[in-house]
């Protein structure tokens, strides 16, 4: 692996979330010793902004009232550097005390009524919010960072809360907006309405301007000095509320960090998905998951999260090649905090990562299929309330099905959608990718025409990139269907009729003529001689009274699953949210249909097959350690049917067969199993039926939480 900056390599970060009283008697040596014990290689520590943890003479200085003669940053930097641990300083310019506000009121945000924007805290004094374009959050912030680098030998800056929600009506914003757009700031309605779309784009450009300038300040002190901040996205897209444009801001950060707390109750494979997303967003930057204490919701920062679920959360991220930002306690170090239950929770996982750093760094999923992430669709149809969401729930249901069937997938962000990227996959999956540009439509059409396989759901290609509706599916010729303009609500009493028995309807569907239906159903008709209708829409069958619970005819001409030959390729299209139904409804027919459809398109070519229950998640990655190197990850989530997971049930007698590129297996060894790097695994290999590939069989005596296997193949 080529040499690169420290922040481009594996990161095992710990953040000690300091409160004001933690400054008193700060024990830097104890903190550094703790970092060493848990195998962390970087710490994030408070620098200042709202409350300053060092002394300086800049305007707005607000020194921690608990500081006496301590110099936390000096002591900690020296103690950590002696152990080879990097120090990143957290700065936060989102608010100030009232006394500072009164000195420069023109630097602060103003709401539509002309009143200052205030962030209330019922137990402490409220803080006043500076405008995101103000001198305080820009020129003053840059001087603040300059001062930190001049006074201390720190390794980087973490800028917390660099965005601001909603719209600011201060004079500076009004003047600049008028000057640059020729318009007045929009008013009225809801900020998420289209009325504010132009402002959002303008605001995103202002945010990027700040990040560019702030990064330049950091880099004055050397390319080895890191600049980063949180990347919100995928599960929580903040563009509409803050101007947080993922595809723009990623370029300004040296590594990419996204918060993902177990308390948010995302799917168990969520950390793996998150790392795949960040990897596609910026393949050359280290993807990092921020996790830690939030109890069972976002308000319990002082008590430990469930330990077992948190560990599985970490293993899921490891399985996709992720690094970590650990925020598991408040205070200096475990001996100086209230809840110490999870203080050593990550120690063996961090140790495993450190021990196998060369193998685990720069991993990339070995995919059977590619799943497209459509930012435009998430922006138009996504919603934080999953009951109202029209995109992420489709993606989550699809991924849950792929994970259950051990179908290996990569996540491809739409900015990476090119002919070259599509040439690397045989099967492309579109989970209600409703908003596609003409360019994207043509790329997908060309992919299928040239021999590619496509699975798409619901309203894929029915909208343009800006969210506006098209009169018909732009990919209708690929799907082999035409939209009638009618959508039926199948949310109750919904069914599908099996019209033709087909490989998609074998595994689990051999003995039925009716299937479950649910949610909005777009009525479509076949429009090509090459298209076939495998299942069709059934009008509602009302259950009461039972004597009248029947239809004179169950046959309609509207397919719920259409299969079409297009050029040299093939498409399967579900004109309803079969993928979303996996997540929000749960009937087994939906997951079974998706899984069978994907396996049909793969024609039996799978990278991983196993006898393990679906609760054991397998992930196969290429390692950046050397050519022909792979890592097989197995995460055991077998437990009681509840969240959070409090206990995992070990599984035994597990076998996995892998299909890998190569002529022979040069090396197979266990990396980690149940906390013992030397735990025995049995393995064998033989030539595969596919030319240029081998079949490797791994036998696990037992998997408690996680097992990792390293395989190196020889090409000749």
């Amino acid at each position: 692996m080529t040499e690169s900056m420290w922040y481009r390599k594996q990161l095992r970060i710990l953040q000690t979330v300091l409160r004001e009283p933690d400054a008193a008697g700060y024990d830097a040596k104890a903190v550094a010793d703790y970092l060493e014990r848990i195998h962390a290689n970087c710490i994030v520590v408070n620098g200042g902004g709202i409350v300053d943890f060092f002394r300086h003479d800049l305007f707005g200085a607000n020194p921690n009232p608990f500081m006496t003669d301590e110099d936390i940053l000096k002591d900690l930097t020296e103690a950590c550097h002696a152990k080879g641990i990097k120090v990143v300083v957290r700065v936060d310019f989102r608010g100030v005390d009232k006394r500072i506000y009164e000195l420069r009121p023109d630097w602060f945000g103003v709401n539509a009524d002309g009143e200052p924007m205030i962030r209330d805290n019922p137990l402490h004094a409220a803080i006043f919010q500076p405008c995101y374009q103000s001198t305080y959050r820009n020129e003053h912030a840059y001087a603040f960072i300059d001062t930190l680098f001049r006074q201390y030998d720190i390794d980087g800056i973490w800028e917390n809360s660099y965005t601001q929600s909603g719209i600011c009506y201060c004079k500076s914003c009004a003047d600049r907006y008028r000057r640059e757009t020729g318009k007045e700031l929009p008013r009225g309605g809801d900020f998420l309405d289209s009325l504010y779309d132009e402002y959002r784009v303008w605001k995103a450009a202002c945010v990027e301007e700040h990040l560019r300038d702030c990064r330049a300040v950091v880099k004055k002190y050397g390319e080895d000095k890191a600049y980063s901040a949180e990347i919100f996205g995928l599960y929580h897209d903040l563009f509409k509320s803050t101007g947080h444009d993922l595809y723009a801001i990623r370029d300004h950060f040296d590594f990419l960090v996204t918060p993902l707390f177990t308390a948010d109750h995302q799917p168990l494979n969520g950390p793996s998905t998150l790392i795949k997303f960040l990897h596609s967003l910026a393949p050359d930057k280290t993807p990092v998951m921020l996790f830690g204490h939030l109890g069972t919701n976002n308000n319990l920062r002082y008590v430990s999260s469930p330990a077992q679920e948190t560990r599985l959360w970490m293993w899921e991220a490891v399985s996709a090649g992720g690094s970590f930002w650990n925020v598991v306690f408040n205070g200096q170090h475990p001996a100086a905090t209230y809840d110490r239950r999870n203080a050593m929770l990550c120690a063996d996982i961090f140790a495993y990562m450190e021990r196998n750093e060369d193998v685990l760094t720069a991993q990339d999923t070995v995919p059977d299929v590619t799943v497209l992430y459509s930012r435009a669709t998430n922006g138009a149809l996504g919603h934080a309330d999953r009951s109202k969401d029209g995109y992420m729930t489709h993606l989550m249901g699809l991924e849950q099905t792929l994970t259950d069937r051990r179908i290996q997938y990569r996540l491809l962000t739409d900015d990476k959608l090119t002919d070259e990227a599509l040439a690397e996959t045989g099967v492309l999956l579109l989970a209600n990718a409703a908003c596609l540009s003409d360019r994207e439509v043509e790329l997908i059409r060309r992919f299928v025409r040239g021999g590619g396989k496509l699975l798409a759901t619901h309203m894929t290609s029915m909208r343009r990139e800006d969210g506006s509706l098209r009169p018909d599916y732009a990919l209708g010729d690929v799907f082999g269907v035409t939209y009638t303009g009618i959508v039926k609500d199948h949310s109750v009493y919904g069914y599908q009729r099996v019209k033709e028995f087909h490989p998609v309807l074998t595994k689990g569907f051999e003995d039925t003529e009716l299937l479950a239906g649910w949610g909005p159903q777009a009525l479509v008709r076949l429009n090509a001689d090459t298209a076939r209708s495998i299942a069709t829409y059934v009008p509602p069958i009302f259950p009461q009274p039972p004597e009248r619970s029947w239809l004179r005819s169950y046959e309609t001409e509207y397919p719920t699953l259409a299969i079409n030959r297009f050029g040299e390729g093939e498409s399967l299209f579900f004109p309803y949210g079969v993928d979303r139904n996996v997540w929000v409804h749960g009937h087994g027919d939906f997951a079974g249909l998706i899984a069978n459809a994907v396996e049909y398109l793969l024609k039996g070519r799978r990278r991983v097959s196993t006898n393990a229950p679906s609760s054991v998640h397998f992930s196969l990655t290429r390692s950046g350690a050397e050519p022909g190197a792979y890592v097989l990850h197995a995460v055991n989530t077998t437990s009681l049917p509840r969240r959070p997971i409090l206990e995992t049930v070990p599984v035994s007698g597990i076998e996995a067969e892998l299909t890998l590129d190569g002529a022979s297996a040069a090396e197979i060894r266990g990396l980690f199993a149940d906390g013992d790097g030397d735990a025995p695994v049995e393995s064998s290999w033989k030539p595969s039926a596919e030319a240029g590939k081998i079949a490797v069989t791994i036998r696990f005596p037992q998997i408690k939480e996680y097992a990792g296997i390293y395989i190196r193949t020889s090409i000749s």
Side-chain angles (χ1 to χ4, degrees):
M1 188 182 306
T2 58
E3 286 297 316
S4 60
M5 293 295 174
W6 64 271
Y7 46 75
R8 294 289 175 97
K9 300 179 181 180
Q10 184 186 94
L11 295 172
R12 304 181 301 277
I13 301 169
L14 178 81
Q15 179 181 352
T16 55
V17 182
L18 298 181
R19 295 84 38 87
E20 289 174 317
D22 294 320
Y26 190 85
D27 190 341
K29 181 180 182 303
V31 174
D33 288 346
Y34 170 62
L35 290 166
E36 187 174 48
R37 277 190 292 146
I38 65 168
H39 302 271
N41 61 6
C42 180
I43 185 172
V44 174
V45 63
N46 296 54
I50 298 175
V51 177
D52 298 335
F53 283 74
F54 74 108
R55 299 190 182 279
H56 61 86
D57 297 324
L58 296 172
F59 166 80
N62 190 23
N64 187 329
F66 289 85
M67 289 193 305
T68 53
D69 297 328
E70 298 93 348
D71 193 335
I72 292 174
L73 299 185
K74 177 178 181 295
D75 295 343
L76 184 65
T77 301
E78 291 176 353
C80 287
H81 283 179
K83 297 178 181 293
I85 297 169
K86 302 295 183 181
V87 178
V88 172
V89 173
R90 174 186 180 274
V91 294
D92 191 333
F93 304 107
R94 67 180 140 164
V96 302
D97 291 345
K98 185 177 181 181
R99 66 175 180 82
I100 299 172
Y101 161 78
E102 295 291 358
L103 297 174
R104 296 285 193 280
D106 58 314
W107 286 4
F108 288 80
V110 174
N111 63 24
D113 296 325
E115 299 297 324
M117 294 181 179
I118 298 175
R119 189 183 184 98
D120 288 322
N121 182 327
L123 302 179
H124 293 280
I127 60 173
F128 288 70
Q129 299 182 52
C131 170
Y132 65 95
Q133 295 196 74
S134 69
T135 299
Y136 183 83
R137 296 194 77 164
N138 293 279
E139 289 82 358
H140 166 76
Y142 308 150
F144 193 97
I145 292 169
D146 256 326
T147 301
L148 280 166
F149 276 110
R150 287 200 304 268
Q151 291 187 199
Y152 304 104
D153 184 24
I154 59 176
D155 299 292
I157 290 293
W158 170 261
E159 186 178 8
N160 195 63
S161 297
Y162 57 90
T163 59
Q164 189 173 39
S165 295
I167 184 169
C168 176
Y169 291 96
C170 74
K171 186 175 186 303
S172 294
C173 280
D175 290 347
R176 181 173 176 180
Y177 190 75
R178 187 185 308 110
R179 183 171 64 251
E180 295 181 359
T181 70
K183 299 179 180 180
E184 298 299 321
L185 289 170
R187 291 176 177 268
D190 188 302
F191 181 69
L192 300 183
D193 293 343
S194 59
L195 168 68
Y196 294 89
D197 284 350
E198 185 175 1
Y199 173 81
R200 266 188 280 275
V201 174
W202 178 81
K203 183 178 185 180
C206 296
V207 170
E208 190 177 3
E209 178 183 72
H210 164 80
L211 295 177
R212 182 174 58 249
D213 292 345
C214 196
R215 175 181 175 83
V217 175
V218 173
K219 293 302 178 179
K220 284 197 313 183
Y221 295 91
E223 190 57 36
D224 62 326
K225 305 302 183 183
Y227 174 59
S228 197
E230 290 164 307
I231 290 273
F232 291 95
L234 190 63
Y235 292 115
H236 308 286
D237 190 342
L238 300 184
F239 175 75
K240 286 184 178 179
S241 60
T242 68
H244 184 280
D245 185 345
L246 287 173
Y247 287 18
I249 63 178
R250 63 182 171 192
D251 297 330
H252 303 289
F253 300 141
D254 288 311
F255 54 92
L256 302 188
V257 183
T258 299
L260 190 64
F261 294 96
T262 55
D264 292 331
H265 292 303
Q266 304 298 353
L268 279 173
N269 62 285
S272 171
T273 300
L274 180 73
I275 297 303
K276 291 178 181 180
F277 174 76
L278 294 180
H279 182 71
S280 181
L281 203 60
D284 60 335
K285 296 183 180 182
T286 301
V288 181
M289 179 179 77
L290 188 155
F291 72 99
H293 282 2
L294 288 181
T296 54
N297 59 46
N298 197 32
N299 301 316
L300 297 175
R301 290 177 174 264
Y302 278 81
V303 292
S304 297
S305 297
Q308 193 58 37
E309 178 151 316
T310 302
R311 285 181 62 83
L312 295 180
W313 211 243
M314 295 181 69
W315 286 127
E316 286 285 347
V318 168
S319 75
S323 285
F324 290 111
W325 181 301
N326 183 334
V327 193
V328 297
F329 70 90
N330 295 267
Q332 294 185 20
H333 54 85
T337 193
Y338 300 102
D339 189 336
R340 298 170 293 280
R341 287 174 289 181
N342 282 353
M344 302 303 294
L345 188 69
C346 71
D348 61 327
I349 300 177
F350 275 19
Y352 166 65
M353 295 171 66
E354 180 182 42
R355 186 169 63 246
N356 298 290
E357 183 170 356
D358 287 346
V359 171
L360 297 177
T361 297
Q363 293 180 80
D364 195 10
T365 299
V366 182
D368 296 315
V369 301
T370 295
V371 177
L372 180 71
Y373 168 78
S374 171
R375 177 177 65 158
T377 307
N378 198 15
L381 304 180
H383 200 288
D385 182 345
R386 296 302 185 215
S387 68
K388 301 175 182 177
D389 172 75
Y391 182 65
M392 279 308 302
T393 43
H394 290 263
L395 196 64
M396 291 156 69
L398 174 63
E399 289 184 308
Q400 180 174 310
T401 303
L402 298 177
T403 299
D404 287 349
R405 288 284 182 100
R406 263 80 58 161
I407 297 169
Q408 304 297 298
Y409 68 93
R410 66 167 173 162
L411 204 60
L412 182 70
T413 49
D414 52 12
D415 65 316
K416 303 295 192 304
L417 184 65
T418 62
D419 286 323
E420 292 74 21
L422 290 174
E424 296 177 2
T425 186
V427 178
L428 177 66
L429 309 183
L430 305 179
N432 193 33
C435 303
L436 296 177
S437 67
D438 291 342
R439 183 192 71 86
E440 291 169 330
V441 167
E442 185 52 39
L443 281 168
I444 295 166
R445 181 180 288 120
R446 196 156 57 229
F447 163 72
V448 181
R449 184 185 290 120
K453 310 292 185 182
L454 176 69
L455 184 149
T457 70
H458 200 35
M459 305 304 283
T460 292
S461 80
M462 269 298 298
R463 292 175 180 263
R464 300 177 183 86
E465 189 176 17
D466 62 3
S468 61
L469 280 168
R470 290 185 168 105
D472 206 338
Y473 294 100
L475 289 170
D477 55 340
V478 179
F479 302 154
V481 303
T482 297
Y483 179 46
T484 66
I486 298 172
V487 175
K488 286 289 188 179
D489 184 5
H490 238 188
S491 297
V492 289
Y493 321 131
Y495 298 92
Q496 306 171 65
R497 177 180 175 272
V498 175
K499 183 175 181 181
E500 173 188 334
F501 284 99
H502 182 275
V504 173
L505 297 175
T506 53
K507 190 182 297 183
F509 300 103
E510 298 89 344
D511 297 318
T512 183
E513 296 175 20
L514 288 180
L515 308 173
W518 194 77
Q521 169 72 58
L523 300 189
V524 300
R525 290 191 179 94
L526 299 183
N527 68 1
D529 294 338
T530 53
R532 298 156 63 189
S533 179
I534 304 304
T536 55
Y537 165 79
V538 175
I541 304 176
F542 296 91
Q544 295 294 337
E547 294 85 352
R548 296 286 177 86
S549 181
W550 61 280
L551 299 175
R552 293 186 182 276
S553 174
Y554 295 82
E555 295 187 17
T556 70
E557 61 178 326
Y558 309 115
T560 55
L561 171 54
I563 299 180
N564 186 42
R565 295 292 308 178
F566 184 76
E568 298 299 316
E570 189 172 17
S571 74
L572 271 71
F573 177 56
F574 296 89
Y576 70 103
V578 60
D579 37 17
R580 185 175 191 270
N581 293 351
V582 174
W583 182 251
V584 300
H585 186 279
H587 193 283
D589 282 357
F590 304 123
L593 285 168
I594 294 173
N596 287 0
V598 175
E599 290 179 347
Y600 165 75
L601 292 175
L602 286 170
K603 304 301 182 189
R605 292 186 294 273
R606 293 275 298 278
R607 287 289 189 170
V608 179
S609 59
T610 178
N611 65 343
S614 59
S615 54
V616 181
H617 299 169
F618 280 90
S619 177
L620 179 66
T621 63
R622 280 193 178 87
S623 168
E626 52 189 320
Y630 297 86
V631 181
L632 177 67
H633 306 267
V635 182
N636 178 27
T637 69
T638 309
S639 62
L640 294 175
R642 56 158 291 173
R643 297 281 299 275
I645 289 175
L646 302 180
E647 179 183 9
T648 51
V649 179
V651 293
S652 303
I654 303 301
E655 288 191 4
E657 184 171 301
L658 319 177
T659 301
L660 305 178
D661 299 331
S664 63
E667 181 183 4
I668 303 175
R669 58 185 170 89
L671 298 176
F672 186 100
D674 307 325
D676 182 357
D678 298 322
V681 293
E682 300 176 18
S683 64
S684 60
W685 71 273
K686 62 183 179 182
S688 171
E690 295 184 60
K693 299 184 187 298
I694 61 173
V696 176
T697 300
I698 308 292
R699 301 175 186 86
F700 301 89
Q702 187 182 65
I703 304 175
K704 292 182 180 178
E705 286 181 354
Y706 167 88
I709 307 296
Y710 176 76
I711 307 114
R712 180 170 58 84
T713 66
S714 175
I715 302 301
S716 59

